Amino acid sequence: MWRRVTSLSPVISTSKPTSLDQAALGFKIWRSSFSTETPTLVKDGPTSFKERNLFITFVLGGPGSGKGTQCHKIVETFGFKHLSAGELLRREIESNSEQWSQMLNTIKEGRIVPSEVTVKLIQQEMESSDSNKFLIDGFPRTEENRIAFEKFTGLEPNVVLFFDCPEEEMVKRVLNRNEGRVDDNIDTVKKRLKVFEILNLPVIDYYSKRGKLHKINAVGTEDEIFEKVRPIFSACAGK
Ligand SMILES: Nc1ncnc2c1ncn2[C@@H]1O[C@H](COP(=O)(O)OP(=O)(O)O)[C@@H](O)[C@H]1O
Ligand SMILES: O=c1ccn([C@@H]2O[C@H](COP(=O)(O)OP(=O)(O)O)[C@@H](O)[C@H]2O)c(=O)[nH]1
Ligand SMILES: [Mg+2]
């Protein structure tokens, strides 16, 4: 039986760091030097971020819920710069960066890469872009990701989108995605769904409580879903 993973009152506490939660899920933990108390990135972010008056959108949802697809439509219509956290990690793996094999194993097992790595990649992309409107797709995945992003960039999202999709539909879409991804197989998808429920729903809950969350029913055609997304940005973009 598939369930709809939309409960916003998770049994798991929202305030604990992910390493414990990942351990609770039975995962081996990728030990990183990272701790939110010992930053290796620039704490509070580069001053240029504050001067740039950025508009940040986080795009969340389970695997296959349509985040990337809707981001492309938002970019076409509203001209955001799209940063997919998963794509940035896959690019790092392909470039044989220092920790590529740990990243690859983490993704294969559906676990979450340490915040230090992901935040650094996102921050670098934001620094090198002229855009002042960013769609950050598939991040933050955990409360620890969220806290690390805020701490190191000094930024918070203006808007958070949550594509709410039944598990059965997400599984069907992922297994038909056909992009040759190492994590698009039934075993990894089951793990990713579990990780989504335990680690990502608390982040969604956090933004819901702060009035930033736009929950969108992600069942329907791509165009039907985009018609629910459009009004969220029309108000600020005049379209
Ligand atoms: N509304 C939709 N209905 C059916 N298939 C969809 C829909 N939106 C996206 N897809 C397809 O589902 C797969 C997963 O979509 P994607 O945007 O990559 O999701 P995510 O980034 O959330 O994992 C892709 O093959 C995509 O073409
Ligand atoms: O902030 C992130 C984003 C992605 N991932 C890893 O990258 C995988 C693929 O992420 P992506 O967003 O591309 O997957 P999608 O949800 O779009 O299918 C995830 O399962 C994680 O293993 C991660 O560790 N941290
Ligand atoms: Mg995606």
Side-chain angles (χ1 to χ4, degrees), residues 61-69 71-72 82 84-87 90 137-138 141 177 179 181 192:
S65 59
K67 301 180 293 297
T69 304
C71 281
H72 290 131
H82 176 206
S84 158
E87 286 294 341
R90 285 187 286 274
D137 166 5
R141 232 68 184 196
R177 179 151 48 188
E179 290 178 2
R181 280 175 46 173
R192 288 160 69 196

Side-chain angles (χ1 to χ4, degrees), residues 8-177:
L8 293 182
S9 323
V11 191
I12 303 289
S13 155
T14 58
S15 58
K16 294 280 185 275
T18 63
S19 52
L20 292 177
D21 291 338
Q22 293 207 50
L25 281 162
F27 289 132
K28 293 190 297 290
I29 302 303
W30 170 0
R31 295 279 168 214
S32 157
S33 55
F34 177 68
S35 140
T36 47
E37 301 310 317
T38 54
T40 54
L41 298 170
V42 184
K43 188 173 175 290
D44 296 329
T47 47
S48 59
F49 280 166
K50 295 207 176 94
E51 286 157 12
R52 281 166 67 186
N53 194 21
L54 300 178
F55 187 97
I56 311 282
T57 301
F58 284 158
V59 182
L60 304 179
S65 59
K67 301 180 293 297
T69 304
Q70 293 301 320
C71 281
H72 290 131
K73 290 180 173 291
I74 298 167
V75 168
E76 276 168 23
T77 311
F78 297 106
F80 278 71
K81 170 81 178 167
H82 176 206
L83 301 179
S84 158
E87 286 294 341
L88 293 176
L89 294 169
R90 285 187 286 274
R91 227 200 279 163
E92 277 294 288
I93 292 168
E94 278 162 28
S95 71
N96 283 326
S97 74
E98 203 188 329
Q99 295 179 306
W100 73 269
S101 72
Q102 278 161 300
M103 279 189 227
L104 180 60
N105 282 334
T106 301
I107 288 177
K108 267 188 192 161
E109 291 173 21
R111 290 182 287 123
I112 305 299
V113 171
S115 300
E116 179 183 37
V117 175
T118 319
V119 172
K120 193 165 147 196
L121 292 173
I122 294 172
Q123 187 168 317
Q124 281 169 351
E125 290 293 312
M126 290 172 66
E127 277 167 3
S128 62
S129 168
D130 310 334
S131 182
N132 63 351
K133 299 192 291 186
F134 291 94
L135 281 180
I136 303 184
D137 166 5
F139 179 93
R141 232 68 184 196
T142 66
E143 278 286 278
E144 188 189 59
N145 277 174
R146 177 184 70 71
I147 292 163
F149 181 87
E150 283 175 12
K151 190 160 186 170
F152 296 126
T153 64
L155 298 169
E156 285 190 36
N158 300 77
V159 165
V160 180
L161 305 183
F162 166 37
F163 291 103
D164 177 26
C165 197
E167 282 193 3
E168 188 175 8
E169 177 68 17
M170 291 195 271
V171 171
K172 199 169 78 188
R173 290 182 191 175
V174 166
L175 297 182
N176 286 329
R177 179 151 48 188

